[in-house]
Amino acid sequence: MKKRTFLILFLVSIFASCSSSSSSPTEDRRARSDFYWQNPLPMGASMRSVGASDRNNMWAVSSGGGVILHTPDGGNTWEYQPTGLSMPLLSLSVVDSKNAWACGQYYLSPTNPYAQILRTTDGGKEWRLVSSDRAEIPPVDFNAIVAVDAETAW
């Protein structure tokens, strides 16, 4: 009998402590972790690369059809920056708040990748193809791009 009474009191105290919490499950998750989904919300494609010029200006590229997103306010809001491409973008390198590079590729056949390089000099208002000439870009996998300044990227 004593064991049963103790068990009932124990369960009641557990239930009371759990139900007295005034925070929501989302607040509880945030309190327990520094990492939680904020922005941009899921869009059906994998974000492949993120770059920042400062604490406010950041860009992200997606494997879903030439998508580039930009935030001017540290991630509170994100805006779509059109590229005119439909290929997956795989990498991004940001030089400063005006200059950034991105690269992407798709396969013409299983052994024939086709890569393109994009560049912006105006903070992403316009992304221009640096080269789309297959003679200039060898048929290799383009998985990353690194810019050393506004004029040079590898």
Side-chain angles (χ1 to χ4, degrees):
M1 183 74 171
K2 287 183 182 182
K3 287 182 183 179
R4 180 183 284 178
T5 304
F6 176 75
L7 180 61
I8 291 171
L9 288 174
F10 177 74
L11 292 175
V12 167
S13 67
I14 294 287
F15 177 74
S17 67
C18 290
S19 64
S20 68
S21 174
S22 62
S23 62
S24 71
T26 301
E27 290 170 345
D28 288 343
R29 279 195 305 272
R30 289 179 183 173
R32 290 190 305 260
S33 173
D34 291 336
F35 300 97
Y36 57 94
W37 196 276
Q38 188 172 343
N39 274 316
L41 296 175
M43 48 185 274
S46 299
M47 301 313 287
R48 298 297 302 247
S49 183
V50 177
S53 63
D54 54 55
R55 67 180 302 137
N56 291 317
N57 287 288
M58 293 172 254
W59 287 263
V61 295
S62 169
S63 63
V67 172
I68 297 180
L69 298 174
H70 172 252
T71 179
D73 56 14
N76 290 318
T77 61
W78 290 83
E79 57 194 26
Y80 172 76
Q81 294 183 332
T83 64
L85 296 179
S86 60
M87 70 175 19
L89 295 174
L90 303 176
S91 183
L92 173 76
S93 185
V94 177
V95 177
D96 55 41
S97 63
K98 298 290 182 197
N99 296 284
W101 300 75
C103 71
Q105 73 180 21
Y106 61 90
Y107 286 85
L108 298 172
S109 69
T111 59
N112 191 8
Y114 179 57
Q116 291 186 322
I117 301 169
L118 295 166
R119 177 181 178 199
T120 184
T121 57
D122 59 8
K125 291 180 181 84
E126 179 183 16
W127 287 88
R128 293 180 293 110
L129 279 174
V130 172
S131 178
S132 61
D133 184 356
R134 294 209 21 95
E136 291 181 30
I137 300 177
V140 295
D141 286 334
F142 260 42
N143 291 314
I145 191 164
V146 176
V148 293
D149 59 40
E151 300 297 321
T152 309
W154 287 283

